[in-house]
Amino acid sequence: MAVFEGWQGKPLDQVLLAARELVEDNEFPTVNRWREQGGKVLGHFQVYFPEELAHAAGMLPVKLRGANMERKQADSHFGSYLCSIIRSSLELTLNGTLELDMFVTHPICDVARNLAGVWGRNFSYPAQILYLPQNANSAYSAQYLRDEYRRVLTTIEGIAGKKVSDQDLRNSIAVFNENRRLMHQVYAIKRETPWLLSVDEAYVLVSVGGMLPREEHNALLNYALPLIQARAAKKQDKIRVVFEGGFCEQPPLDLLRVIGQSCYVVDDDLLIGLRWIQSDVPADGDPLLNLADAYLNNSSYSPVQHDLRKPKEKMLLERIRNSHAQAAIITAAKMCEPGLEEQVAYSKKFDELNIPYFISEFEEKMTAFDHMQIQLETFVENILFE
């Protein structure tokens, strides 16, 4: 039985509305329906997790990306100087809204590397750290990561009560390869005909993948993409921008909507972990090694992956040029050390190359956007009429 229904056969506007309501629903109804059917859930923190591992074992991988909610319990477990996504993600589990059978985090920052310890003190199910390679340029990094995936998969097998075969992994890789191809089509529309799909609409279409069985997400995207391409929308006089800074904590949807009123966001790093691998993972050979190699050598970039082959300023410039953007919006979540550090490097490079950029901060609980909207409109007008 499907866990996300009500969009099948509907017009595009209703499909997008259903996706938006699901993304903004802090009760996680699709996850609850999965559990009601006897399924088990693996929650993983940002940025990237090889969801094929959980899928191959019959578990539902759920991306923890916080929520705009009142925090009654989690704040007592963390200092006030930490980012919001850490606290709201824990709140969802402490208050029983999101029930998990396993939790995985990553050492992407000082806070995230301690999440497994916090989870382990508060919940009886396994809480693990997936140690992605700190030296992605080592000749041994792929084999090391393959062994890390095997270690985590062993725990997953114990929870799922299923031994995962290589063929199970290959079947899951095929499902996720299709999913990545479909999400890349969404982004191709944003780059080539951005008036057909606003930044907030594209976001909800991608975001729901983090809380659905991936087969259902594939069906949704396969249905929505032809409707988007057939939209009778006209090009408007907006500038083309790249949005950078949504790799971990996510900006409020209304903030994205405000940006979309003034700009065409033709590329971004929102939920980049879902789109991390850039092309199909090979089906032949060792599936764990193939996944590890794809993470290292066929992937995007973020401030929390240290790879000398992918200097962040160079990669962002490529994103701007490949999408024919006229400017960049450089954002960071409040209290996000990796994101705020990159703002400095990006702005210095843009100053050298005379590329217009707009700097801002956000927090998932933001509700007022008037001040930012005025500043952004002024920024856009300076570019349009200079």
Side-chain angles (χ1 to χ4, degrees):
M1 181 183 295
V3 300
F4 183 36
E5 297 181 318
W7 57 266
Q8 294 90 341
K10 298 295 179 64
L12 179 61
D13 289 347
Q14 293 185 32
V15 173
L16 293 171
L17 177 60
R20 181 185 179 102
E21 289 177 343
L22 177 57
V23 169
E24 294 187 314
D25 191 337
N26 292 338
E27 298 297 320
F28 290 85
T30 54
V31 180
N32 293 332
R33 292 187 197 111
W34 175 267
R35 294 191 68 89
E36 289 168 0
Q37 297 170 26
K40 295 186 176 181
V41 179
L42 182 149
H44 59 94
F45 193 67
Q46 303 277 30
V47 171
Y48 172 78
F49 176 78
E51 294 182 311
E52 290 91 338
L53 305 187
H55 182 273
M59 296 182 72
L60 176 66
V62 175
K63 178 174 278 294
L64 297 183
R65 62 284 186 80
N68 186 350
M69 63 187 304
E70 182 181 1
R71 298 188 296 265
K72 297 181 178 180
Q73 301 181 60
D75 283 356
S76 64
H77 296 262
F78 299 111
S80 60
Y81 50 86
L82 302 179
C83 58
S84 294
I85 185 175
I86 296 287
R87 291 176 281 168
S88 59
S89 294
L90 181 61
E91 182 73 30
L92 287 168
T93 51
L94 285 174
N95 66 20
T97 298
L98 186 60
E99 292 187 50
L100 304 178
D101 297 284
M102 180 176 175
F103 172 72
V104 180
T105 186
H106 320 277
I108 61 172
C109 66
D110 289 339
V111 184
R113 67 167 52 94
N114 293 303
L115 277 184
V118 174
W119 245 263
R121 288 194 298 270
N122 288 278
F123 303 99
S124 60
Y125 53 76
Q128 292 205 1
I129 301 174
L130 173 61
Y131 291 97
L132 299 168
Q134 292 299 301
N135 182 6
N137 306 117
S138 167
Y140 189 70
S141 59
Q143 182 61 47
Y144 160 81
L145 185 55
R146 186 257 179 227
D147 294 342
E148 266 294 282
Y149 286 173
R150 178 68 258 179
R151 178 183 65 81
V152 173
L153 181 58
T154 300
T155 304
I156 291 173
E157 290 174 332
I159 296 170
K162 174 185 176 179
K163 182 69 176 178
V164 175
S165 68
D166 283 355
Q167 190 56 49
D168 292 330
L169 286 166
R170 293 187 186 102
N171 292 341
S172 293
I173 286 172
V175 172
F176 280 78
N177 279 345
E178 180 187 2
N179 188 246
R180 286 184 283 264
R181 287 195 298 267
L182 292 168
M183 287 191 287
H184 291 156
Q185 289 181 42
V186 171
Y187 271 74
I189 292 173
K190 286 180 60 174
R191 285 191 302 272
E192 297 162 12
T193 52
W195 51 91
L196 295 180
L197 191 66
S198 66
V199 59
D200 55 299
E201 292 172 336
Y203 179 84
V204 298
L205 284 176
V206 170
S207 182
V208 294
M211 58 186 76
L212 293 178
R214 210 47 58 99
E215 292 88 346
E216 289 193 39
H217 193 217
N218 289 348
L220 172 68
L221 293 179
N222 272 312
Y223 178 78
L225 280 165
L227 298 180
I228 296 169
Q229 292 164 337
R231 247 179 169 175
K234 294 183 178 180
K235 183 178 179 180
Q236 298 180 348
D237 191 17
K238 298 180 180 180
I239 67 168
R240 298 169 61 94
V241 302
V242 162
F243 180 97
E244 192 82 4
F247 62 93
C248 186
E249 183 170 326
Q250 298 301 291
L253 263 177
D254 286 338
L255 173 59
L256 297 180
R257 182 184 291 172
V258 165
I259 294 173
Q261 291 173 355
S262 302
C263 311
Y264 287 134
V265 179
V266 290
D267 206 349
D268 58 61
D269 66 343
L270 295 163
L271 292 173
I272 191 63
L274 293 176
R275 304 176 285 115
W276 183 257
I277 296 175
Q278 297 296 292
S279 62
D280 285 358
V281 178
D284 56 343
D286 182 344
L288 289 178
L289 186 60
N290 290 342
L291 284 168
D293 183 74
Y295 169 81
L296 293 164
N297 300 315
N298 186 21
S299 55
S300 186
Y301 69 96
S302 85
V304 296
Q305 188 201 40
H306 308 290
D307 189 333
L308 296 177
R309 300 168 299 177
K310 297 189 282 189
K312 308 304 183 297
E313 299 93 327
K314 175 186 175 183
M315 299 302 291
L316 178 54
L317 286 173
E318 287 184 7
R319 177 170 280 166
I320 290 171
R321 289 164 180 160
N322 291 341
S323 60
H324 304 290
Q326 300 163 264
I329 297 177
I330 310 298
T331 64
K334 290 183 178 180
M335 305 295 180
C336 175
E337 185 175 341
L340 292 169
E341 286 181 350
E342 292 303 326
Q343 278 190 334
V344 177
Y346 291 151
S347 59
K348 181 179 179 181
K349 176 59 68 172
F350 289 161
D351 285 337
E352 292 175 1
L353 299 177
N354 198 29
I355 296 175
Y357 62 93
F358 180 88
I359 286 186
S360 69
E361 288 184 353
F362 66 84
E363 189 175 21
E364 61 187 15
K365 292 185 69 173
M366 285 177 65
T367 56
F369 310 102
D370 293 346
H371 183 61
M372 178 185 174
Q373 185 174 19
I374 293 171
Q375 290 181 318
L376 185 59
E377 288 174 352
T378 302
F379 172 75
V380 170
E381 288 173 359
N382 286 338
I383 294 175
L384 286 174
F385 302 116
E386 67 178 1

